[in-house]
Amino acid sequence: MKTLGRGAMTVQPEFDVAVIGGGPAGGIAATRAAELGMAVILMARPRPRGALEGLAPRTVEALKNLGFARAAALSTAPAIRRVHWNGQESAANSEVLVERTGFDRALLDCVAEAGVTVVNGSAVRMKHDEAGWRIHTRETQGKTHICRARMIVEARGRRALSRGQAQICGPVTFSLARWYEGAELGKSFTAIASHCDGWSWLANLGDGRVSVQALTGFDNTPSGSRKHLMDQHGAIVGDILNQYRDDLGEHLTPLDEFFVRDASVALSNEPITQAMIRVGDAAASVDPLSGHGIFQAISSGLTAAPTLNTILNRPAQADLAMAFYGSRVKRRFIHQVKAGQEFYAEEKQWSGRPFWQERRDWLHREEIDHTVDEGNAPITLDRRGVVEEGFVVERDVLVTPANPDGVLMLDGVPMADLWREVKAPGTSLSEDQLARKFDVAPRQIEVALRWLREQSVTPL
């Protein structure tokens, strides 16, 4: 494993890319950049506190497929997710749980094994000049390293995205978390419940430990008082613990102090420049209610790597790559915001309370750029940035309401060329003829044509 700060090693102090932060977004951006031939260094300090996070099963599978099986193996078996929302109870979905301290360490081990230089520390000073970035890193043991990098990947999460750096901001939201012990042993489960001034997420690991997070708004905390935040959290936590008293028992006691963090929604006003690219929550932080935080981080890291490769190795296409990445970040952000607003709108018990009003209505339709609108427009043909062989290139794609980034290929069929063929006046080729024309199997043409019929508002 190639690292700095874990024994003596000889390493060139110049890198193509320096990743600042070691969560899933930064880790995946680093490994993918290394696989594309870039020299990469990643700097990350272990989490000082254990946090628990819920993942969709598809996220665990994605991590395994991307080479992070060791980190994915630390997740629990799927736990039933109980939902108390708008006075109704359901348990249709499941999620797996990971304790982020061990998960993040395993993730960094996978990153190092992929050929990335890993520093167990944090960047304390960064300066950009004509030659690139000069980065001072302090290890956990106190040693300082200096290296140079052509580009930086900012991957330090929400703390790297202040409201002053955001082009779109949601209502100020706090997450207050605490561990408890003494629960009755049994099957693990999670639960989400609405309250008059917020909502909560409970995770019972089945081994006697329970983690509870309560989310509440700034307007419910006079003068930003920490004491009032604690009182607010206590009320919300008390509600959900009482709801599950039969499952958890009567003897829960706190394991630690409350941990408070910002959980507000924000979109960076500059997710990418020719010197720096933001990934994960540092680019766009989504509402925890969506439950897609790590999945979004994975997507962000995967998109960042070919963008970096293009800017560094095909500078003539840098503007295309930057536009490609910026539009992807904004589209995904808007999609998640709209989904979150729909969840908040479904809760009608507290619809008149400030917390619920603000989160249901804060982003209005007129604030959404037409490039991220998901209306009922028909299929259109456009030239967009796409990823080919590790670079961002411009190609003809089909844009639909459900696929605003554009579709290049479907089951091996070039969709823009197929669209032109079937829409050309006087053309009525059979599926077999189209298959021969595009050198694919008839079954592939059948799949592509079916998709076109499903997407189009006009008959083919």
Side-chain angles (χ1 to χ4, degrees):
M1 179 164 57
K2 185 166 60 171
T3 64
L4 285 173
R6 299 185 186 179
M9 68 166 289
T10 302
V11 48
Q12 292 295 325
E14 295 188 3
F15 297 86
D16 295 312
V17 176
V19 180
I20 315 298
I28 288 172
T31 56
R32 283 295 178 262
E35 288 172 3
L36 291 172
M38 287 170 268
V40 184
I41 185 171
L42 182 146
M43 307 157 191
R45 188 181 295 275
R47 283 177 177 246
R49 166 193 173 89
L52 196 67
E53 191 155 351
L55 311 181
R58 67 168 181 164
T59 303
V60 177
E61 290 305 310
L63 287 167
K64 292 178 182 177
N65 294 335
L66 291 168
F68 294 90
R70 185 182 306 178
L74 297 179
S75 60
T76 66
I80 294 297
R81 188 186 196 197
R82 305 176 184 179
V83 178
H84 286 262
W85 209 258
N86 194 34
Q88 299 179 338
E89 183 176 356
S90 64
N93 298 317
S94 64
E95 58 186 334
V96 301
L97 302 172
V98 293
E99 296 187 55
R100 284 297 301 266
T101 301
F103 175 83
D104 287 356
R105 285 176 179 157
L107 188 145
L108 289 179
D109 288 340
C110 296
V111 171
E113 289 171 0
V116 176
T117 299
V118 176
V119 177
N120 186 1
S122 57
V124 293
R125 190 165 71 231
M126 299 181 290
K127 183 178 180 180
H128 188 259
D129 56 31
E130 293 182 357
W133 290 93
R134 183 178 175 87
I135 306 161
H136 295 246
T137 304
R138 181 173 293 120
E139 298 177 24
T140 52
Q141 299 92 339
K143 290 183 181 180
T144 299
H145 294 282
I146 300 174
C147 71
R148 278 197 168 273
R150 297 167 67 190
M151 284 193 72
I152 277 180
V153 175
E154 174 57 85
R156 288 176 289 187
R158 292 175 184 267
R159 64 192 176 98
L161 178 56
S162 68
R163 295 183 77 81
Q165 297 170 306
Q167 59 176 293
I168 300 177
C169 293
V172 175
T173 304
F174 291 109
S175 169
L176 297 94
R178 197 174 201 178
W179 281 94
Y180 297 81
E181 64 178 350
E184 294 184 0
L185 303 180
K187 289 185 178 180
S188 63
F189 70 89
T190 66
I192 183 171
S194 61
H195 307 272
C196 62
D197 291 320
W199 59 272
S200 60
W201 180 73
L202 177 150
N204 175 29
L205 289 172
D207 60 1
R209 294 179 299 153
V210 175
S211 175
V212 182
Q213 294 182 42
L215 285 96
T216 189
F218 183 79
D219 289 343
N220 300 315
T221 61
S223 303
S225 162
R226 181 179 177 86
K227 180 181 183 303
H228 192 83
L229 274 174
M230 299 302 105
D231 292 343
Q232 189 72 40
H233 177 271
I236 294 175
V237 168
D239 284 349
I240 195 167
L241 291 179
N242 283 331
Q243 283 180 306
Y244 293 99
R245 188 69 62 189
D246 291 344
D247 298 287
L248 302 174
E250 302 286 341
H251 306 292
L252 284 181
T253 57
L255 267 174
D256 55 6
E257 295 298 318
F258 292 111
F259 177 68
V260 183
R261 69 178 181 89
D262 183 14
S264 306
V265 173
L267 172 66
S268 170
N269 57 19
E270 201 169 34
I272 184 170
T273 69
Q274 288 196 346
M276 182 177 73
I277 182 169
R278 291 172 170 268
V279 296
D281 283 341
S285 56
V286 299
D287 196 310
L289 187 60
S290 73
H292 295 300
I294 289 186
F295 191 82
Q296 288 293 102
I298 292 172
S299 177
S300 176
L302 290 174
T303 307
T307 304
L308 289 163
N309 197 27
T310 305
I311 293 173
L312 292 175
N313 297 312
R314 292 184 180 178
Q317 301 299 313
D319 288 344
L320 172 66
M322 291 168 61
F324 164 81
Y325 187 79
S327 67
R328 290 291 178 103
V329 169
K330 187 172 184 179
R331 288 183 196 281
R332 290 167 183 163
F333 173 81
I334 294 296
H335 178 78
Q336 292 297 325
V337 167
K338 290 167 66 179
Q341 287 184 310
E342 290 173 3
F343 288 141
Y344 284 111
E346 289 175 3
E347 175 49 77
K348 304 187 186 306
Q349 293 181 104
W350 326 109
S351 58
R353 301 286 295 186
F355 177 88
W356 296 95
Q357 283 182 326
E358 292 173 355
R359 285 151 189 81
R360 182 183 65 231
D361 301 329
W362 71 270
L363 186 66
H364 300 291
R365 170 61 65 180
E366 57 268 21
E367 296 180 61
I368 302 175
D369 186 86
H370 73 278
T371 59
V372 295
D373 193 5
E374 296 177 3
N376 294 315
I379 293 177
T380 57
L381 191 64
D382 198 6
R383 288 186 70 77
R384 297 279 176 91
V386 300
V387 177
E388 279 187 5
E389 299 180 353
F391 292 96
V392 178
V393 297
E394 193 173 48
R395 295 286 184 265
D396 288 343
V397 297
L398 289 186
V399 180
T400 75
N403 300 275
D405 290 320
V407 177
L408 177 67
M409 304 283 287
L410 182 63
D411 199 18
V413 179
M415 296 306 293
D417 291 341
L418 179 63
W419 175 253
R420 291 190 186 96
E421 191 66 43
V422 299
K423 297 298 287 185
T427 300
S428 58
L429 296 180
S430 68
E431 290 184 5
D432 286 342
Q433 290 173 317
L434 288 169
R436 288 194 293 273
K437 183 177 181 66
F438 291 106
D439 193 24
V440 296
R443 178 199 58 79
Q444 293 169 274
I445 292 293
E446 179 184 354
V447 170
L449 290 175
R450 185 188 312 124
W451 182 86
L452 285 176
R453 294 187 188 99
E454 292 170 351
Q455 302 296 316
S456 181
V457 296
T458 58
L460 295 178

